[in-house]
Each structure stands twice: as C-alpha cells, then as structure tokens.
C-alpha cells in the first residue's frame, strides 16, 4: 500500500517538474542580457552633422569612402533615435560633402562645419585605418576600419570645453577571418563592414542591450 502511495506522489510531482523546466528559460532570460549606457547622451532633440575624415590614399582607392561612411553613420543614428522615440535632426551627408568640396580646410575643421549648418554638435570620425583586402595576402578580403570619435559642442560658451573624446572604434568583418576574393564579394564585404562600423559608432549615443 505504501509503495502505491509513493508511486502516486511521484506521478503527481512529474507534471510540476516539467512545468518548472518550461518556466526556467523565461525566468533567466533577463539575466543573459546587459544594458549599456551611452558614452554621450546629449544628441537627442538636437541638430547634428557627421564629419568623416579619411587620408588621401584611402580616397584614391575608394573615392566615396568619406561620403559613404558619413551616410551610414547618419542613417544609423537617425533610425536608432527614432526607434527610441527620440528626435534627432541629422544634416544630410550630401550637404556636408558639397560644403567640403568648396572649403577643403573644413575637412579637418568640425567647428567650421558646425557653424555652416547651425548645428548643436558635430560627430567627427577620423579614420586611421581603412582596409578591404588583407594587407599581407591581397587575394583575401577582410574589412577593417579603425577610427577615433570626437563630439564637438558647437554651442558651448567661449572658454569652456568644446570637445568630448569617446572611445575609439575598431571594426573587422568577417570576424571569423579573411575570405577569398571573388568577382562579386568585394563590394559586399565593404558594405557589411560599413554596416558594422556605423553601428559601433552610433551606439555611443544611445542605450542598447548586449548578450552576456
């Protein structure tokens, strides 16, 4: 009789155990993610220009690299801020590029760009390394961008600190390593490198979540 009772208890506990196992993933989901605060949180509700500098050797091989990188960063910033219901007015990249063509000194003068477009801040990205091919094996492709990121406060009072140096950005794609170059994948590798790089730059300005 006692054996039957023990068996009955075990049978009753089994569904409860199964239910607990089903609930476990839901309970611990939040513990596997982490919120990361922005490095600079003052862009929201303001007007911003994105200024990208690249050296002449990069522009020789990739004439539109400066324009393309600024466009990707500006678009990513706008999209992510809108997703968070935050307003951000980003100066169109073409307008900035037209100004740089007329005033070559402005390529390294964020203050001049900021005043030309009457913005609150200029996000100045100085590209220190730009590669699509592996430098040691030209037949292999791996996008690499290494850059510094500085925010210029255009509306700061004279004599006060006007710049905020953020952590540099180092981006590689594919992360797994170089891939063999083909007739079609070079533009794809560059585009995906742009996507990843722009996300790393843009997320400096809003809260985001990462997996642990």
């Amino acid at each position: 009789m006692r054996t039957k009772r023990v068996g009955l208890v075990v049978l009753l506990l089994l569904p409860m155990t199964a239910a607990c196992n089903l609930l476990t993933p839901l309970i611990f989901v939040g513990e596997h993610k982490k919120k990361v605060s922005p490095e600079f949180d003052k862009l929201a509700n303001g007007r911003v220009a994105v200024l990208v500098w690249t050296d002449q050797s990069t522009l020789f091989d990739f004439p539109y690299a400066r324009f393309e990188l600024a466009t990707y960063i500006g678009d990513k910033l706008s999209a992510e801020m809108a997703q968070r219901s935050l307003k951000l007015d980003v100066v169109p990249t073409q307008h900035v590029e037209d100004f740089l063509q007329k005033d070559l000194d402005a390529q390294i003068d964020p203050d001049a760009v900021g005043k030309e477009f009457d913005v609150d801040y200029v996000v100045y990205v100085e590209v220190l390394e730009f590669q699509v091919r592996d430098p040691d094996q030209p037949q292999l492709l791996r996008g690499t961008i290494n850059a510094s990121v500085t925010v210029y406060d255009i509306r700061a009072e004279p004599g006060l600190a006007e710049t905020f140096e953020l952590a540099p950005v180092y981006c590689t794609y594919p992360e797994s390593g170089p891939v063999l170059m083909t007739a079609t994948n070079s533009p794809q590798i560059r585009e995906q490198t742009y996507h990843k790089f722009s996300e790393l730059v843009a997320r400096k300005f809003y809260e985001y979540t990462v997996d642990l």
Side-chain angles (χ1 to χ4, degrees), residues 7 17 19 23 25 27 38 45 53 69 72 78 80 85 90 102 135 145 163-164 170 173 177 187:
T17 304
L23 289 174
I27 294 172
N45 300 314
W53 177 88
L69 287 171
Y72 272 76
S78 296
E80 293 292 341
S85 300
V90 179
K102 293 186 293 184
I145 303 178
T163 61
F164 302 85
Y170 182 77
Y173 183 87

Side-chain angles (χ1 to χ4, degrees), residues 17-33:
T17 304
C20 289
N21 289 335
L22 288 173
L23 289 174
T24 298
L26 297 177
I27 294 172
F28 289 98
V29 160
E31 297 184 10
H32 292 289
K33 293 184 180 294

